[in-house]
Amino acid sequence: MGALLLLRPPGHPLVLPALRTRGRGLALDPAVASGIVGAYGGAVYLSQILGAWLGDRLVSPRDMVLYGAVVITAGHLVLAFAPGLAGLGTGLVCIVLGTGALKTNITSIVGFVLDGDERYRDVGFSYFYMAINIGAVVGPLTTGLAQNELGFHYGFGLAAIGMCAALIQYAASMKQLPERARTVNNPLPANRRPLLALAFLASSAAIGAAVTTGLLHAENLSTVVTFASLAAAAAYFLTMTRTSAVSRDERRRILGYLPLFLASGVYFGFLFQKFTAISILITERIDLTIGDWKFPVAWITTVSPLAAVLVTPLIARTWNRLGERQPGTVAKVGIGLAQIGCAYLFLLVIAEATGEADIPLFLILLFMVLAGSSEVFVGPMGLSLATRIGPEKFRSQMVGLNFLTLALGSSLAGLLGQLFTKIGNSAYFTVTAVCGIGIGLALLAARRPVGRLLESGLER
């Protein structure tokens, strides 16, 4: 499983440049490209709801991870060899479906491994999240260089090689996983499986018809995915709070998770702007030329997860030393939101100071450090909390619900990227800074009542 822990939703650093760059790319309008990237990222996480459900009801988490890795590998091979927008679209759809099968189920498996001492769960998931971010660093460094020097197909081809290596490693070691990883938690009755197949076919036909008639198009993809993410989240919250299979204490914990879900969605919307609004800012206002060489755009976005990787051991060690005295999950998420808000405040100062002139490269890199290092306060905490407070009958699906914060955030980043193309830089960064800091402070103020709901019926 080790190599697959290095996976992050793939393709992000290369997708927007592939859509926008002239010559080797598709040269789409910035707003359209930003919408597609946001919708792609949102769909990657939205599909994980289906993956979580399948891992709970139909296929064991261990096998879902294997199948997902195979489909992701196929997607990168398509991106490496198939030309044009059709090839890009087909490859991204494969990555969306494969990541949906893989991500929630591999997170559930990590939760199985960490079952036992709850004091170290946040620490364990911090290191798990660090492994994911290592992949987010190594991937763009290598694929971004290949794209910069040789072209996008070579960059995607290198990603396919990495996926093949991870797939081989996982297949060779999957027998060592805990018994719970090989078990379907809540098997779907055989007489309901034809209904599932019919629902899948009907959904596929509806999406195909929407694309064919023009109802679903590039400009509104992010909006559609945002509403789909909110609808899926609402359905999950209603299902888990109204079913008789969920106890009173479990229901209270789910309600306590609601404000964290919304706040985390906004947080990831701000963080994932590095793939939309900030990428547009980089291509339009940053001089990437160093002598005769052009600094790869993908390398700039790599600084964000690299900062998270470097700060994770320090933060995890701090939580470990503090033990019972460490801040609660609500406070940690509030700190992360306030920090990323401050990062956008820093960007506002830069925009005001430079006016219409080019922004120095090192200032954008510093912004990426400030924004990226905040992720350690939000991402690992959500994963840890979902595996801890999830109802017994909905454990994997609770992890899927947590990943909907990423779906919401990614599609929100697409909408924000489109907004970025329509208003001034200073006004845009003012709004993001105020929202980030304000929501973070509100969470810190509400940490005690929300924390009591999250701890209902749990032993610390």
Side-chain angles (χ1 to χ4, degrees), residues 10 63-64 69 98 119 121 137 145 171 187 196-197 210 216 230 283-284 322 347 361 372 456:
D63 292 337
M64 284 294 292
R119 294 176 301 171
R121 182 175 286 269
V137 172
L145 181 62
L196 174 64
L216 184 64
L230 289 171
T283 57
E284 293 182 349
L322 289 175
L347 206 53
L361 176 60
S456 297

Side-chain angles (χ1 to χ4, degrees), residues 260-276:
L260 281 183
F261 173 87
L262 296 173
S264 297
V266 172
Y267 169 83
F268 284 112
F270 292 160
L271 180 68
F272 290 160
Q273 286 181 89
K274 61 188 176 184
F275 303 121
T276 57

Side-chain angles (χ1 to χ4, degrees), residues 9-21 24-27 33 36-37 40 76 79-80 88 92 95 136-160 274-276 279 283 295-302:
H12 261 318
L14 298 187
V15 174
L16 189 132
L19 290 168
R20 289 204 60 206
T21 306
R24 290 175 176 173
L26 298 175
I36 292 174
V37 171
Y40 158 66
H76 278 96
L79 289 170
L88 185 69
L92 294 185
I95 292 174
V137 172
V138 175
L141 282 177
T142 54
T143 61
L145 181 62
Q147 170 262 311
N148 203 55
E149 302 298 324
L150 301 171
F152 292 102
H153 290 291
Y154 287 91
F156 288 124
L158 191 56
K274 61 188 176 184
F275 303 121
T276 57
S279 284
T283 57
F295 193 89
V297 174
W299 283 15
I300 299 177
T301 59
T302 298

Side-chain angles (χ1 to χ4, degrees), residues 4 45 52 131 139 144 176 203 234-235 237 271 276 296 372 399-400 402 427-428 437:
L4 288 180
Y45 296 110
Q176 303 172 24
S203 299
F237 274 110
L271 180 68
T276 57
V399 175
N402 178 70
Y428 182 83
I437 295 172

Side-chain angles (χ1 to χ4, degrees), residues 30-54:
V32 175
S34 181
I36 292 174
V37 171
Y40 158 66
V44 163
Y45 296 110
L46 187 59
S47 69
Q48 292 172 37
I49 288 292
L50 176 61
W53 187 87
L54 291 173

Side-chain angles (χ1 to χ4, degrees), residues 173-203:
S173 60
M174 59 191 293
K175 292 182 181 179
Q176 303 172 24
L177 295 176
E179 181 62 32
R180 288 182 67 187
R182 312 173 195 177
T183 305
V184 179
N185 182 50
N186 185 20
L188 184 71
N191 62 354
R192 294 179 60 184
R193 294 183 182 182
L195 182 61
L196 174 64
L198 185 61
F200 173 77
L201 292 174
S203 299

Side-chain angles (χ1 to χ4, degrees), residues 365-425:
L365 295 178
L366 183 54
F367 163 78
M368 288 292 185
V369 170
L370 291 172
S373 58
S374 69
E375 191 176 1
V376 72
F377 295 104
V378 182
M381 301 309 108
L383 294 178
S384 174
L385 187 66
T387 60
R388 182 167 183 256
I389 70 169
E392 186 62 31
K393 294 294 185 182
F394 293 90
R395 186 63 57 87
S396 291
Q397 294 176 67
M398 190 68 182
V399 175
L401 178 60
N402 178 70
F403 277 117
L404 272 181
T405 63
L406 300 166
L408 180 60
S410 190
S411 54
L412 178 61
L415 293 176
L416 290 172
Q418 292 175 326
L419 177 64
F420 179 77
T421 65
K422 301 183 186 306
I423 65 174
N425 288 178

Side-chain angles (χ1 to χ4, degrees), residues 425-441:
N425 288 178
S426 295
Y428 182 83
F429 295 136
T430 299
V431 171
T432 50
V434 169
C435 288
I437 295 172
I439 297 172
L441 293 177

